[in-house]
Amino acid sequence: TLSRLAGYGSRVSRRAAVLAIGFVGDYSENAVLGRALRDSDRAVRVLADDGIRRLWFRCGNEAQRRELQRVARLIEGKQYLEAVRRVTILIETAPWIPESWYQRSIALFRQKRYLESANDAHQALEINPYHFEAAIGMGHCYLEMRDQAGALDAFRRALRVHPGLEGIRAQVAYLERSA
C-alpha cells in the first residue's frame, strides 16, 4: 500500500508514504524511492533522497547489515585499510549487496586508488541502478584520472536518477563548457 501511495497518491499521501518507507522499509523498496527522486513535489524528492540512502544499508541479513555499518564507521574514522579488508570479505560472501561495493569504492578513493574505486562504483550501479552516489563517486574518480568525458557521463547518469543534484548539475555545466 505504501508503495502504491508513494507513486500515485495525492501530494500529501506521497510524502507520508515516502517518509514511512524511508523509516521502516527495506531494500526491496529501493525502486519506489528511486522513482520518487523524480517526483513533481519537492518535499517528496527530499524525503526520497533521505530515505533511499538509509535503505541502501538495509540490504542483506542482520549480520551483513551490521558489518556494513562497521565498515562505514571505519571509513568515517579514516581507517581505510581495515575498511577495505572487512568490506572485501563482505563482498566475497554477499556480492549482491550494492552498498558494500560503494563503501569499498569510497575507501579506495580515499587511498587514491581511483581506477579500482571507479570499478567498484560501477559494480554498485550495476546492482542498484538508483545508486546516484555511486555514479557521483565514479565521476570524481574519472576527474582524478583526468578523464573528463568519463566524468561527464557518470555525472549525467547521476542526474538521470536524481535530477535534484544541483552541485552535480553545476559540475556537468562546467565540464561541458571546458570540453
Side-chain angles (χ1 to χ4, degrees), residues 1 15 17 31 41-42 55 66 70 75 81 90 117 127 143 150-151 168-169 177 179:
T1 302
R15 289 176 183 177
D41 182 60
R42 184 179 186 284
L55 281 188
R66 276 195 310 272
R70 223 175 270 123
I75 292 169
L81 290 174
L90 182 56
S117 177
I127 302 166
L143 285 178
I168 299 304
R169 187 173 309 290
R177 282 193 310 272

PDB file of all heavy atoms in Angstrom, residues 1 15 17 31 41-42 55 66 70 75 81 90 117 127 143 150-151 168-169 177 179:
ATOM      1  N   THR A   1       0.826  -1.192   0.000  1.00  0.00           N
ATOM      2  CA  THR A   1       0.000   0.000   0.000  1.00  0.00           C
ATOM      3  C   THR A   1       0.869   1.254   0.000  1.00  0.00           C
ATOM      4  O   THR A   1       0.609   2.187  -0.748  1.00  0.00           O
ATOM      5  CB  THR A   1      -0.937   0.004   1.225  1.00  0.00           C
ATOM      6  OG1 THR A   1      -1.725  -1.177   1.187  1.00  0.00           O
ATOM      7  CG2 THR A   1      -1.833   1.217   1.224  1.00  0.00           C
ATOM      8  N   ARG A  15       4.028  12.105   0.161  1.00  0.00           N
ATOM      9  CA  ARG A  15       5.002  12.497   1.177  1.00  0.00           C
ATOM     10  C   ARG A  15       4.998  11.533   2.350  1.00  0.00           C
ATOM     11  O   ARG A  15       6.053  11.074   2.809  1.00  0.00           O
ATOM     12  CB  ARG A  15       4.694  13.909   1.693  1.00  0.00           C
ATOM     13  CG  ARG A  15       4.980  15.007   0.712  1.00  0.00           C
ATOM     14  CD  ARG A  15       4.559  16.345   1.278  1.00  0.00           C
ATOM     15  NE  ARG A  15       4.764  17.416   0.320  1.00  0.00           N
ATOM     16  CZ  ARG A  15       4.423  18.677   0.539  1.00  0.00           C
ATOM     17  NH1 ARG A  15       3.853  19.025   1.687  1.00  0.00           N
ATOM     18  NH2 ARG A  15       4.660  19.594  -0.376  1.00  0.00           N
ATOM     19  N   ALA A  17       3.874   8.447   2.486  1.00  0.00           N
ATOM     20  CA  ALA A  17       4.306   7.104   2.092  1.00  0.00           C
ATOM     21  C   ALA A  17       5.822   7.036   1.940  1.00  0.00           C
ATOM     22  O   ALA A  17       6.465   6.093   2.429  1.00  0.00           O
ATOM     23  CB  ALA A  17       3.619   6.698   0.793  1.00  0.00           C
ATOM     24  N   ALA A  31      13.452   0.739  -5.538  1.00  0.00           N
ATOM     25  CA  ALA A  31      12.936   1.303  -6.792  1.00  0.00           C
ATOM     26  C   ALA A  31      11.822   2.315  -6.531  1.00  0.00           C
ATOM     27  O   ALA A  31      11.711   3.317  -7.245  1.00  0.00           O
ATOM     28  CB  ALA A  31      12.443   0.193  -7.715  1.00  0.00           C
ATOM     29  N   ASP A  41       6.750  16.880  -6.709  1.00  0.00           N
ATOM     30  CA  ASP A  41       6.727  17.611  -5.446  1.00  0.00           C
ATOM     31  C   ASP A  41       8.119  17.596  -4.807  1.00  0.00           C
ATOM     32  O   ASP A  41       8.694  16.541  -4.567  1.00  0.00           O
ATOM     33  CB  ASP A  41       5.701  16.969  -4.502  1.00  0.00           C
ATOM     34  CG  ASP A  41       5.597  17.706  -3.189  1.00  0.00           C
ATOM     35  OD1 ASP A  41       5.263  18.904  -3.204  1.00  0.00           O
ATOM     36  OD2 ASP A  41       5.860  17.077  -2.142  1.00  0.00           O
ATOM     37  N   ARG A  42       8.628  18.791  -4.518  1.00  0.00           N
ATOM     38  CA  ARG A  42       9.972  18.902  -3.942  1.00  0.00           C
ATOM     39  C   ARG A  42      10.090  18.176  -2.608  1.00  0.00           C
ATOM     40  O   ARG A  42      11.097  17.521  -2.330  1.00  0.00           O
ATOM     41  CB  ARG A  42      10.366  20.370  -3.768  1.00  0.00           C
ATOM     42  CG  ARG A  42      11.779  20.545  -3.266  1.00  0.00           C
ATOM     43  CD  ARG A  42      12.174  22.021  -3.120  1.00  0.00           C
ATOM     44  NE  ARG A  42      13.559  22.162  -2.770  1.00  0.00           N
ATOM     45  CZ  ARG A  42      14.056  21.937  -1.552  1.00  0.00           C
ATOM     46  NH1 ARG A  42      13.274  21.539  -0.572  1.00  0.00           N
ATOM     47  NH2 ARG A  42      15.342  22.101  -1.304  1.00  0.00           N
ATOM     48  N   LEU A  55      17.860   3.127   3.092  1.00  0.00           N
ATOM     49  CA  LEU A  55      17.506   1.809   2.550  1.00  0.00           C
ATOM     50  C   LEU A  55      18.727   1.043   2.053  1.00  0.00           C
ATOM     51  O   LEU A  55      18.776  -0.179   2.164  1.00  0.00           O
ATOM     52  CB  LEU A  55      16.523   1.936   1.383  1.00  0.00           C
ATOM     53  CG  LEU A  55      15.063   2.164   1.665  1.00  0.00           C
ATOM     54  CD1 LEU A  55      14.266   2.060   0.380  1.00  0.00           C
ATOM     55  CD2 LEU A  55      14.518   1.222   2.695  1.00  0.00           C
ATOM     56  N   ARG A  66      25.048  -5.172   9.904  1.00  0.00           N
ATOM     57  CA  ARG A  66      25.924  -4.680  10.987  1.00  0.00           C
ATOM     58  C   ARG A  66      27.345  -4.478  10.479  1.00  0.00           C
ATOM     59  O   ARG A  66      27.993  -3.486  10.800  1.00  0.00           O
ATOM     60  CB  ARG A  66      25.921  -5.648  12.170  1.00  0.00           C
ATOM     61  CG  ARG A  66      24.776  -5.449  13.131  1.00  0.00           C
ATOM     62  CD  ARG A  66      25.007  -6.160  14.457  1.00  0.00           C
ATOM     63  NE  ARG A  66      25.387  -7.557  14.314  1.00  0.00           N
ATOM     64  CZ  ARG A  66      24.538  -8.570  14.231  1.00  0.00           C
ATOM     65  NH1 ARG A  66      23.233  -8.362  14.286  1.00  0.00           N
ATOM     66  NH2 ARG A  66      24.983  -9.809  14.100  1.00  0.00           N
ATOM     67  N   ARG A  70      29.653  -1.141  10.318  1.00  0.00           N
ATOM     68  CA  ARG A  70      31.015  -1.108  10.876  1.00  0.00           C
ATOM     69  C   ARG A  70      31.990  -0.534   9.851  1.00  0.00           C
ATOM     70  O   ARG A  70      32.830   0.297  10.175  1.00  0.00           O
ATOM     71  CB  ARG A  70      31.420  -2.535  11.260  1.00  0.00           C
ATOM     72  CG  ARG A  70      32.114  -2.643  12.574  1.00  0.00           C
ATOM     73  CD  ARG A  70      32.401  -4.090  12.985  1.00  0.00           C
ATOM     74  NE  ARG A  70      31.295  -4.610  13.757  1.00  0.00           N
ATOM     75  CZ  ARG A  70      30.592  -5.701  13.473  1.00  0.00           C
ATOM     76  NH1 ARG A  70      30.870  -6.429  12.418  1.00  0.00           N
ATOM     77  NH2 ARG A  70      29.612  -6.094  14.245  1.00  0.00           N
ATOM     78  N   ILE A  75      35.429   3.926   7.725  1.00  0.00           N
ATOM     79  CA  ILE A  75      35.726   4.939   6.701  1.00  0.00           C
ATOM     80  C   ILE A  75      35.611   6.332   7.313  1.00  0.00           C
ATOM     81  O   ILE A  75      36.472   7.188   7.090  1.00  0.00           O
ATOM     82  CB  ILE A  75      34.803   4.775   5.477  1.00  0.00           C
ATOM     83  CG1 ILE A  75      35.141   3.473   4.745  1.00  0.00           C
ATOM     84  CG2 ILE A  75      34.918   5.971   4.538  1.00  0.00           C
ATOM     85  CD1 ILE A  75      34.142   3.078   3.682  1.00  0.00           C
ATOM     86  N   LEU A  81      42.358   1.111   5.264  1.00  0.00           N
ATOM     87  CA  LEU A  81      42.876  -0.238   5.013  1.00  0.00           C
ATOM     88  C   LEU A  81      41.999  -1.291   5.679  1.00  0.00           C
ATOM     89  O   LEU A  81      41.656  -2.312   5.063  1.00  0.00           O
ATOM     90  CB  LEU A  81      44.321  -0.360   5.500  1.00  0.00           C
ATOM     91  CG  LEU A  81      45.367   0.413   4.700  1.00  0.00           C
ATOM     92  CD1 LEU A  81      46.726   0.330   5.378  1.00  0.00           C
ATOM     93  CD2 LEU A  81      45.443  -0.104   3.279  1.00  0.00           C
ATOM     94  N   LEU A  90      33.043  -9.057   3.065  1.00  0.00           N
ATOM     95  CA  LEU A  90      31.592  -8.969   2.895  1.00  0.00           C
ATOM     96  C   LEU A  90      31.207  -9.151   1.427  1.00  0.00           C
ATOM     97  O   LEU A  90      30.260  -9.874   1.107  1.00  0.00           O
ATOM     98  CB  LEU A  90      31.078  -7.632   3.434  1.00  0.00           C
ATOM     99  CG  LEU A  90      29.582  -7.394   3.388  1.00  0.00           C
ATOM    100  CD1 LEU A  90      28.811  -8.489   4.114  1.00  0.00           C
ATOM    101  CD2 LEU A  90      29.250  -6.025   3.973  1.00  0.00           C
ATOM    102  N   SER A 117      38.494   2.211  -7.451  1.00  0.00           N
ATOM    103  CA  SER A 117      37.317   2.863  -6.872  1.00  0.00           C
ATOM    104  C   SER A 117      36.221   3.021  -7.920  1.00  0.00           C
ATOM    105  O   SER A 117      35.047   2.726  -7.654  1.00  0.00           O
ATOM    106  CB  SER A 117      37.707   4.229  -6.300  1.00  0.00           C
ATOM    107  OG  SER A 117      36.581   4.904  -5.799  1.00  0.00           O
ATOM    108  N   ILE A 127      24.351  -3.291  -9.859  1.00  0.00           N
ATOM    109  CA  ILE A 127      23.425  -3.993  -8.969  1.00  0.00           C
ATOM    110  C   ILE A 127      22.246  -3.097  -8.603  1.00  0.00           C
ATOM    111  O   ILE A 127      21.109  -3.552  -8.524  1.00  0.00           O
ATOM    112  CB  ILE A 127      24.156  -4.466  -7.699  1.00  0.00           C
ATOM    113  CG1 ILE A 127      25.319  -5.387  -8.064  1.00  0.00           C
ATOM    114  CG2 ILE A 127      23.189  -5.184  -6.752  1.00  0.00           C
ATOM    115  CD1 ILE A 127      26.282  -5.637  -6.921  1.00  0.00           C
ATOM    116  N   LEU A 143      37.480  12.242 -12.836  1.00  0.00           N
ATOM    117  CA  LEU A 143      38.136  13.557 -12.781  1.00  0.00           C
ATOM    118  C   LEU A 143      39.565  13.430 -12.282  1.00  0.00           C
ATOM    119  O   LEU A 143      40.480  14.065 -12.825  1.00  0.00           O
ATOM    120  CB  LEU A 143      37.350  14.515 -11.882  1.00  0.00           C
ATOM    121  CG  LEU A 143      36.067  15.097 -12.444  1.00  0.00           C
ATOM    122  CD1 LEU A 143      35.385  15.985 -11.404  1.00  0.00           C
ATOM    123  CD2 LEU A 143      36.331  15.885 -13.724  1.00  0.00           C
ATOM    124  N   GLY A 150      34.577  10.660 -19.274  1.00  0.00           N
ATOM    125  CA  GLY A 150      34.057   9.648 -18.354  1.00  0.00           C
ATOM    126  C   GLY A 150      33.344  10.283 -17.173  1.00  0.00           C
ATOM    127  O   GLY A 150      32.283   9.816 -16.741  1.00  0.00           O
ATOM    128  N   ALA A 151      33.935  11.359 -16.643  1.00  0.00           N
ATOM    129  CA  ALA A 151      33.317  12.063 -15.517  1.00  0.00           C
ATOM    130  C   ALA A 151      31.973  12.650 -15.927  1.00  0.00           C
ATOM    131  O   ALA A 151      30.982  12.531 -15.193  1.00  0.00           O
ATOM    132  CB  ALA A 151      34.240  13.168 -15.008  1.00  0.00           C
ATOM    133  N   ILE A 168      25.947  18.685  -8.746  1.00  0.00           N
ATOM    134  CA  ILE A 168      26.364  17.848  -9.872  1.00  0.00           C
ATOM    135  C   ILE A 168      25.936  18.496 -11.183  1.00  0.00           C
ATOM    136  O   ILE A 168      26.671  18.472 -12.171  1.00  0.00           O
ATOM    137  CB  ILE A 168      25.808  16.422  -9.735  1.00  0.00           C
ATOM    138  CG1 ILE A 168      26.339  15.774  -8.453  1.00  0.00           C
ATOM    139  CG2 ILE A 168      26.123  15.570 -10.952  1.00  0.00           C
ATOM    140  CD1 ILE A 168      27.866  15.738  -8.343  1.00  0.00           C
ATOM    141  N   ARG A 169      24.772  19.125 -11.189  1.00  0.00           N
ATOM    142  CA  ARG A 169      24.326  19.847 -12.385  1.00  0.00           C
ATOM    143  C   ARG A 169      25.334  20.957 -12.734  1.00  0.00           C
ATOM    144  O   ARG A 169      25.695  21.151 -13.895  1.00  0.00           O
ATOM    145  CB  ARG A 169      22.935  20.442 -12.161  1.00  0.00           C
ATOM    146  CG  ARG A 169      22.322  21.058 -13.408  1.00  0.00           C
ATOM    147  CD  ARG A 169      20.887  21.485 -13.191  1.00  0.00           C
ATOM    148  NE  ARG A 169      20.024  20.457 -12.624  1.00  0.00           N
ATOM    149  CZ  ARG A 169      19.610  19.355 -13.253  1.00  0.00           C
ATOM    150  NH1 ARG A 169      19.983  19.141 -14.498  1.00  0.00           N
ATOM    151  NH2 ARG A 169      18.821  18.489 -12.655  1.00  0.00           N
ATOM    152  N   ARG A 177      31.313  23.157 -20.630  1.00  0.00           N
ATOM    153  CA  ARG A 177      31.963  24.391 -21.115  1.00  0.00           C
ATOM    154  C   ARG A 177      33.454  24.189 -21.375  1.00  0.00           C
ATOM    155  O   ARG A 177      34.000  24.801 -22.284  1.00  0.00           O
ATOM    156  CB  ARG A 177      31.770  25.509 -20.094  1.00  0.00           C
ATOM    157  CG  ARG A 177      30.406  26.149 -20.116  1.00  0.00           C
ATOM    158  CD  ARG A 177      30.375  27.441 -19.316  1.00  0.00           C
ATOM    159  NE  ARG A 177      30.926  27.327 -17.982  1.00  0.00           N
ATOM    160  CZ  ARG A 177      30.254  26.963 -16.880  1.00  0.00           C
ATOM    161  NH1 ARG A 177      28.980  26.655 -16.970  1.00  0.00           N
ATOM    162  NH2 ARG A 177      30.847  26.909 -15.715  1.00  0.00           N
ATOM    163  N   ALA A 179      34.958  21.431 -22.257  1.00  0.00           N
ATOM    164  CA  ALA A 179      35.287  20.355 -23.218  1.00  0.00           C
ATOM    165  C   ALA A 179      35.606  20.908 -24.589  1.00  0.00           C
ATOM    166  O   ALA A 179      35.308  21.970 -24.984  1.00  0.00           O
ATOM    167  CB  ALA A 179      34.123  19.386 -23.319  1.00  0.00           C
TER     168      ALA A 179
END
